[in-house]
Amino acid sequence: MTYAIEAHGLAKRFGDKMAVGGVDLTVPAGSIFGFLGQNGAGKTTTLRMLLGILTPDAGYVTVLGDDYPLSVAHRIGYLPEERGLYPSMTARETIAFMGALRGMPLKAGRERAEELLSAHGLGDEIHSKIRTFSKGMAQKVQLLGSFVHSPDLIVLDEPFSGLDPVNQAALESIIIGERARGATILFSTHIMSHAERLCDGLVLIAGGRTRFSGSVAQARAVLPAQVVMRTVDPLENAIGHLPATFARDANGLYRFPLPDEGLDATLKRLVAANVGISELTTERPTLHDAFVAMVGDPEADDINLRSSEQETYR
Amino acid sequence: MNAPGFVRAAWTIARRDITATIFSRGFLIWLAMPILGLLFGILASVAQGGGGDSSREPTSAAVIDTEGAFAPWLIETARLERARDRYAQLRRRFSTVRPTEALPEALSPPPARLDVEQLQTLAENDRLDRIEREFQLGTGDTLKALGLEPTRMALTRVTAEGDLDRQAQRLLSGDPGRFGAVVLVREGEVSVVRRDGTNVDRLRTLAGQAWERRALDQAGLLQPLKTAMAGRPDIGVETIADDDREAPAGQRPDDRSTALATGAAIVLFTLISLLAGALLSNMVEEKGNKVIEILVASVPIPAIFAGKLVGMLAVSLLGVGVWGAVFGGGAMFILGQLPAGILADPARGWPQFVTLVSAYFVTAYLIYGAVYLGIGSLCTSIREVQTLSMPITILQMVVLVWTIGAIGDPDGLSATIASWFPLSAPYMWAARAAAGEQLGMHMLAIAYQLAFAGLIIFVAARLFRYGVLRSGPPPSLKQLGSSARFWVRGRSA
């Protein structure tokens, strides 16, 4: 398997504060990869180190096979967390300029900019200045500028931040379209639903360290499935036959983690006790649940349950 | 990144800055500011009646001659000397307008050698106007409009009436502007009566010349003297065009050379102060609109730095070009109108002087621009810019004052240090360009300054890298100093 990004032990300190204390990241080529973490977890600092904007204090990084990311900058597209555009430039010139920074001829950049703007609903705004745009429109222009030069790797820092649901959906389809073209997409977010829908693989960091690395399914598997049960009557004698970790919610549903040995033994005990069961389901935890569970204890040991290097995410 | 890639990246950034700056409304205002300043200055001067200078020469004078024999001589002498002055101006203007051409025959005799008959010829039959038209030397209209035309004093003969002193007082205190001075001739004596502060040196000289000519004529010596002086050689000054020539040690420039050198240093200082400030604002604006992260992620920081510097240098050169066309054209025109000798010509001629000063402008811009750009990268607001740039501005002014002080003694220790101290070197060498230093030394100085500019750019690029993605207050000097890796390896901290 080839990797678009390989980073090991990345660390960065700002004065007395350790911003990133050891992040490992391997992003398979051609995948959509999520980089998850709370606010302040060190996502942006890590992405900046991956792109060569910041130099790590420790660790190493290889991007598109090169140890010096800036030397392959023309093959990378980047949408920073802090959006920045020149207000007096037109949409077309902005995108062409961003392409030119990545080595694309200006003329070709302009032509491509017109194509992209037209294809993404901004065909009437090609010559409009950025200062006249809404935040969502400006963000879309910046996103289009990040892949105007058809890069092999696109790094998006919190791309969904500040977008309405319609634009979030549009952005998701753009990301999927770029993956279909063959690009690798790495994006950071703390909104789990996007990662759950889009990502082939993900890394979760907390406190500047990697907490999890693997697929979405593997992340969800970090937590056991939940058994949800409704009894015919809220019989007190049922309680003694449930796992000790059960909880009863306001709707009268009993919830408990699926036991390691399975549900058979528990069900047999309940039937033997004449507990009437009217409803029984198992629910797999969401990525959000897994995220909260993993990030909830920043001091916990790394949860690298499975080696992501052995996984194929597509 | 290879060299072509570096240049391409820098040019991409420079081009964006150039177009964004030039096509902004602010640029037009910036461009027009000095011109508007000049216009306001002229308007203010005109509003004050242009008479703010109490020591100016009178434009008119009355001649009261009780004997009757002196006034015609004085009036005639004044007429001939006016012709001589104007002839000198035309010669000077010709050299300015057509620096590569030899003087035509009509302008070939030096003004000092013109005899009375030649002056009479020039003064009559609009001959000087014809020369002016023939060689397209412009007209004095613009200077007249600006009130800068050299004084052409009109002399009017007034009949003596009663008490001459009282009459002179009446003539001076009459309607404003009636007469600026009165020449009184009585009992063989000539005196000039003036208002306090009026400069009558010229009038006194004219009176002296007229008296001398009349005395010679009365003694029958005017014609023999003219004959005897006909063969007087023209004792000119020949300048050796030898690049290795050096002024003798200890030779001090005259006041006119010093004025030109000082002017060059001040013009350079003013331009750099004006333009480096714009560079600083550009950087802060760049950080404010967050585009900087895209730039930093796309191209090497030195390329960003070089692009911004070159971009603003190009904008600055455009601005200087426009101002130069407006002010420089006006200045050349004015120089052409001035009597010869008011302002010294640069020792190596104006074209070479302007070229050298332009080169020193570029080196000064690169040195100070890099410093300001580095400061800009550490700031996040205009307030921080003001705080951090203040010491540099003060240092720049100290350097200018030091340079101006050293110009008067170009071989002194102070001037030597100022010539090689990097922050003062551009100013000092711009001043030396007026005095005529060896061309080889200028080349060495330019190379040295460019090398130092490169060093400053190197250090400032590291400052830029250190501070460009920082938020919050700028780092203290202690923080910068303690970040050893930042200096040694140029890494972001």
Side-chain angles (χ1 to χ4, degrees), chain B residues 285-340:
Chain B
E285 186 186 357
E286 196 90 318
K287 288 187 75 179
N289 63 24
K290 312 290 186 192
V291 179
I292 200 74
E293 188 167 356
I294 294 175
L295 303 183
V296 174
S298 308
V299 297
I301 284 180
I304 298 174
F305 199 82
K308 297 225 150 285
L309 214 48
V310 169
M312 289 308 287
L313 176 62
V315 171
S316 301
L317 288 175
L318 178 67
V320 170
V322 171
W323 297 335
V326 174
F327 294 118
M332 285 179 75
F333 188 73
I334 290 165
L335 286 175
Q337 300 290 320
L338 291 176

Side-chain angles (χ1 to χ4, degrees), chain B residues 165-183:
Chain B
D165 292 326
R166 285 181 181 279
Q167 185 183 8
Q169 205 166 17
R170 278 200 306 276
L171 291 170
L172 289 174
S173 59
D175 294 337
R178 188 179 174 195
F179 292 108
V182 177
V183 180

Side-chain angles (χ1 to χ4, degrees), chain B residues 180-331:
Chain B
V182 177
V183 180
L184 276 179
V185 185
R186 56 183 165 186
E187 299 167 8
E189 296 289 328
V190 180
S191 60
V192 179
V193 185
R194 61 171 183 176
R195 286 199 190 97
D196 187 30
T198 305
N199 183 349
V200 293
D201 291 349
R202 187 183 180 82
L203 194 55
R204 289 178 67 199
T205 304
L206 282 175
Q209 287 173 336
W211 187 266
E212 190 179 331
R213 287 183 59 219
R214 191 185 71 155
L216 287 170
D217 187 58
Q218 285 175 343
L221 295 173
L222 192 58
Q223 193 55 41
L225 184 65
K226 183 184 162 190
T227 307
M229 297 294 282
R232 186 183 65 171
D234 177 25
I235 306 169
V237 176
E238 192 173 339
T239 303
I240 301 168
D242 179 0
D243 288 346
D244 296 329
R245 176 182 59 89
E246 191 168 11
Q251 183 177 336
R252 287 171 177 274
D254 62 23
D255 289 345
R256 296 171 305 140
S257 291
T258 303
L260 184 63
T262 304
I266 290 174
V267 165
L268 211 57
F269 168 81
T270 307
L271 288 174
I272 294 300
S273 302
L274 199 65
L275 299 171
L279 190 62
L280 198 55
S281 305
N282 175 280
M283 173 49 63
V284 175
E285 186 186 357
E286 196 90 318
K287 288 187 75 179
N289 63 24
K290 312 290 186 192
V291 179
I292 200 74
E293 188 167 356
I294 294 175
L295 303 183
V296 174
S298 308
V299 297
I301 284 180
I304 298 174
F305 199 82
K308 297 225 150 285
L309 214 48
V310 169
M312 289 308 287
L313 176 62
V315 171
S316 301
L317 288 175
L318 178 67
V320 170
V322 171
W323 297 335
V326 174
F327 294 118

